[in-house]
């Protein structure tokens, strides 16, 4: 009987792949949000994952892909970002994500009451400023501290600063785990942190078991994406039928059909672009376990417009052990 070969690497909880998969665990999500927002766990009825790709109004608009996006209790949207390395203009980037997420669901003719409160939670593995506090909350207030609106909120959590005995401490310890020994030794009374520890252990199984686990997670992502696409297609089909029923004959009918065809082509084009971006993101998720993805690999993935080629790459990505090995697959 062939002996299984242990996987000697370590997938840290704060790595791109591990962090995103942790947030797919409902217990982890609920307990994490409860700790960060200081909401009693029993008040969290639902914290549903949403599509992380925000819509674009035009081809020239900058694309926005979030790490983790959630809908809390049906009335608050939350974006959680894990940033391991310092990047320039992080504050502007965070504000851009927040603004896009706030306005994303609103289109022409929609009332403003459709807008939901939006919260960004930035987890930074570097010192943002000299403040001793590792968790700070920012909102819209005047010079006297009076609240203007609670619709926009930013949380900054810095992993490298000293712990203070807050309920977030165990989450900080979790994200700072860097070895199997640290993983095995950590315990927590927070049910969400303990669930996260078990998830990270599962991600660091024997090599072949780990590949099967990653394939299972990939299938879950694909099923979720197909479910979202099916719902969108159903809405579009109903909308198209309504337009068809309201058309008049003659010149007006021809004009309406022309507009409908143009809209249909644009929507189909947008859906195809969404599938391409989803496939690219899956590849990035798997490659992220190896470290920072080199610029040339990212550029090659972004340039690829063939969906079948991208799917072939993301099926191979979990099996590679180095970026050079993946580069050979790109040729």
């Amino acid at each position: 009987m062939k002996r299984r070969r242990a996987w000697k690497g370590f997938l840290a909880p704060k790595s791109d792949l591990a962090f995103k998969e942790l947030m797919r665990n409902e217990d982890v999500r609920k307990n994490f949000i409860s700790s960060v927002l200081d909401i009693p766990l029993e008040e969290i009825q639902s914290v549903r994952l949403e599509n992380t790709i925000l819509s674009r109004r035009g081809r020239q608009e900058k694309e926005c892909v979030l790490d983790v996006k959630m809908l809390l209790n049906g009335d608050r949207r939350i974006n959680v970002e894990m940033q391991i390395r310092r990047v320039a203009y992080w504050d502007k980037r965070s504000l851009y994500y927040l603004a896009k997420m706030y306005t994303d669901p609103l289109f022409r003719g929609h009332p403003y009451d459709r807008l939901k409160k939006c919260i960004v939670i930035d987890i930074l593995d570097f010192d943002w400023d000299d403040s001793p506090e590792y968790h700070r909350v920012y909102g819209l207030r005047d010079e006297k501290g009076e609240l203007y609106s609670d619709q926009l909120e930013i949380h900054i959590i810095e992993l490298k600063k000293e712990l203070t005995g807050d309920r977030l401490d165990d989450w900080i310890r979790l994200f700072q785990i860097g070895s199997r020994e640290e993983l095995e030794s950590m315990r927590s009374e927070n049910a969400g942190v303990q669930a996260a520890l078990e998830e990270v252990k599962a991600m660091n199984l024997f090599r072949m078991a780990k590949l099967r686990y990653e394939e299972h997670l990939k299938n879950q992502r694909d099923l979720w994406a197909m479910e979202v696409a099916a719902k969108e297609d159903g809405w579009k089909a109903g909308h198209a039928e309504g337009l068809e029923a309201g058309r008049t004959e003659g010149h007006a009918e021809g004009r309406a059909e022309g507009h409908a065809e143009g809209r249909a082509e644009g929507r189909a084009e947008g859906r195809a672009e969404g599938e391409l971006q989803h496939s690219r993101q899956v590849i990035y998720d798997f490659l992220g376990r190896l470290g920072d993805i080199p610029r040339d690999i990212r550029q090659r993935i972004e340039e690829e417009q063939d969906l079948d080629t991208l799917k072939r790459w993301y099926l191979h990505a979990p099996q590679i052990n180095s970026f050079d090995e993946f580069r050979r697959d790109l040729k």
Side-chain angles (χ1 to χ4, degrees):
M1 181 177 177
K2 188 176 180 180
R3 186 177 180 181
R4 292 186 299 175
R5 180 168 57 89
W7 181 57
K8 296 181 180 180
F10 180 69
L11 193 61
K14 64 185 176 185
S15 67
D16 187 61
L17 173 63
F19 177 70
K20 290 177 181 178
E21 295 305 338
L22 282 177
M23 290 298 140
R24 295 184 185 279
N25 182 305
E26 186 176 16
D27 288 337
V28 173
R29 289 200 307 274
K30 284 186 174 181
N31 281 274
F32 177 72
I33 294 302
S34 172
S35 297
V36 175
L37 302 186
D38 197 22
I39 300 174
L41 193 59
E42 57 272 17
E43 292 183 11
I44 299 181
Q45 301 169 3
S46 65
V47 56
R48 178 169 59 85
L49 289 176
E50 293 193 317
N51 190 355
T52 57
I53 302 176
L54 300 182
S55 62
R56 289 189 294 178
R57 269 41 174 191
R59 289 182 176 275
Q60 300 303 315
E61 185 174 349
K62 185 176 178 64
E63 184 178 65
C64 192
V65 182
L66 310 180
D67 278 359
V68 180
K69 183 171 169 239
M70 316 174 191
L71 182 63
L72 173 62
N73 290 346
D75 61 6
R76 278 165 283 182
R77 285 199 163 85
I78 301 174
N79 168 33
V80 186
E81 296 286 318
M82 173 67 76
Q83 185 63 36
I84 295 178
R85 299 186 184 279
R86 181 184 294 277
V87 295
Y89 310 117
W90 175 260
D91 53 345
K92 290 182 172 61
R93 175 180 171 182
S94 183
L95 285 171
Y96 179 75
Y97 284 2
L98 179 59
K100 280 284 294 180
M101 185 168 62
Y102 187 63
T103 60
D104 188 57
L106 199 68
F107 290 88
R108 186 173 60 185
H110 287 172
Y112 290 110
D113 61 3
R114 290 176 62 110
L115 294 172
K116 300 181 185 297
K117 178 175 181 175
C118 286
I119 302 169
V120 168
I121 301 173
D122 290 332
I123 306 172
L124 309 179
D125 196 28
F126 54 86
D127 290 337
W128 177 245
D129 60 20
D130 296 330
S131 171
E133 299 177 345
Y134 70 74
H135 179 207
R136 274 158 299 149
V137 185
Y138 299 90
L140 294 175
R141 297 179 180 274
D142 67 11
E143 67 277 8
K144 297 180 181 179
E146 295 292 331
L147 183 67
Y148 171 74
S149 172
D150 69 348
Q151 288 285 285
L152 302 177
E153 188 172 293
I154 296 179
H155 291 249
I156 300 293
I157 299 173
E158 298 175 68
L159 299 183
K160 293 186 177 298
K161 291 188 173 177
E162 185 176 350
L163 302 180
T164 60
D166 187 84
R167 60 188 297 193
L168 267 176
D169 282 9
D170 275 0
W171 289 104
I172 304 297
R173 293 188 183 98
L174 166 72
F175 293 135
Q176 287 290 57
I177 289 176
S179 67
R180 293 177 181 272
E181 292 73 22
E182 293 176 2
L183 178 63
E184 292 296 333
S185 64
M186 182 173 175
R187 299 290 185 275
S188 176
E189 295 182 0
N190 184 307
V193 174
Q194 197 59 44
L197 288 169
E198 297 304 318
E199 287 281 345
V200 177
K201 290 177 183 177
M203 291 183 224
N204 284 280
L205 296 171
F206 287 98
R207 179 64 178 167
M208 290 308 298
K210 177 178 178 291
L211 291 178
R212 289 196 296 270
Y213 178 75
E214 289 178 336
E215 181 65 18
H216 167 69
L217 295 173
K218 182 188 75 64
N219 290 336
Q220 284 186 322
R221 281 195 293 269
D222 287 347
L223 288 173
W224 173 74
M226 286 188 289
E227 180 182 352
V228 171
K231 289 180 179 178
E232 290 179 350
D233 288 343
W235 181 87
K236 290 171 184 174
H239 185 62
E241 289 176 6
L243 289 176
E244 182 67 26
R247 287 176 182 146
T248 59
E249 297 182 0
H251 180 68
E253 182 177 355
R255 185 169 61 246
E257 288 178 352
H259 289 324
E261 288 177 5
R263 286 195 299 269
E265 289 177 5
R267 288 166 181 162
E269 200 172 280
R271 185 164 61 247
E273 180 64 24
E275 291 176 353
L276 290 172
Q277 288 304 324
H278 170 72
S279 296
R280 293 184 184 112
Q281 188 58 48
V282 173
I283 296 172
Y284 294 147
D285 287 348
F286 284 126
L287 293 182
R289 77 187 196 281
L290 300 175
D292 290 340
I293 302 173
R295 180 178 299 179
D296 65 307
I297 291 180
R298 278 191 176 272
Q299 182 176 351
R300 179 66 183 87
I301 293 172
E302 289 296 326
E303 290 174 349
E304 183 56 56
Q305 297 297 314
D306 182 67
L307 185 59
D308 289 337
T309 299
L310 289 172
K311 287 183 177 179
R312 175 171 60 81
W313 289 347
Y314 78 57
L315 286 173
H316 186 219
Q319 307 172 39
I320 61 129
N321 296 304
S322 69
F323 289 121
D324 285 338
E325 185 178 344
F326 188 75
R327 283 190 180 94
R328 291 194 290 272
D329 196 45
L330 294 176
K331 296 178 180 178

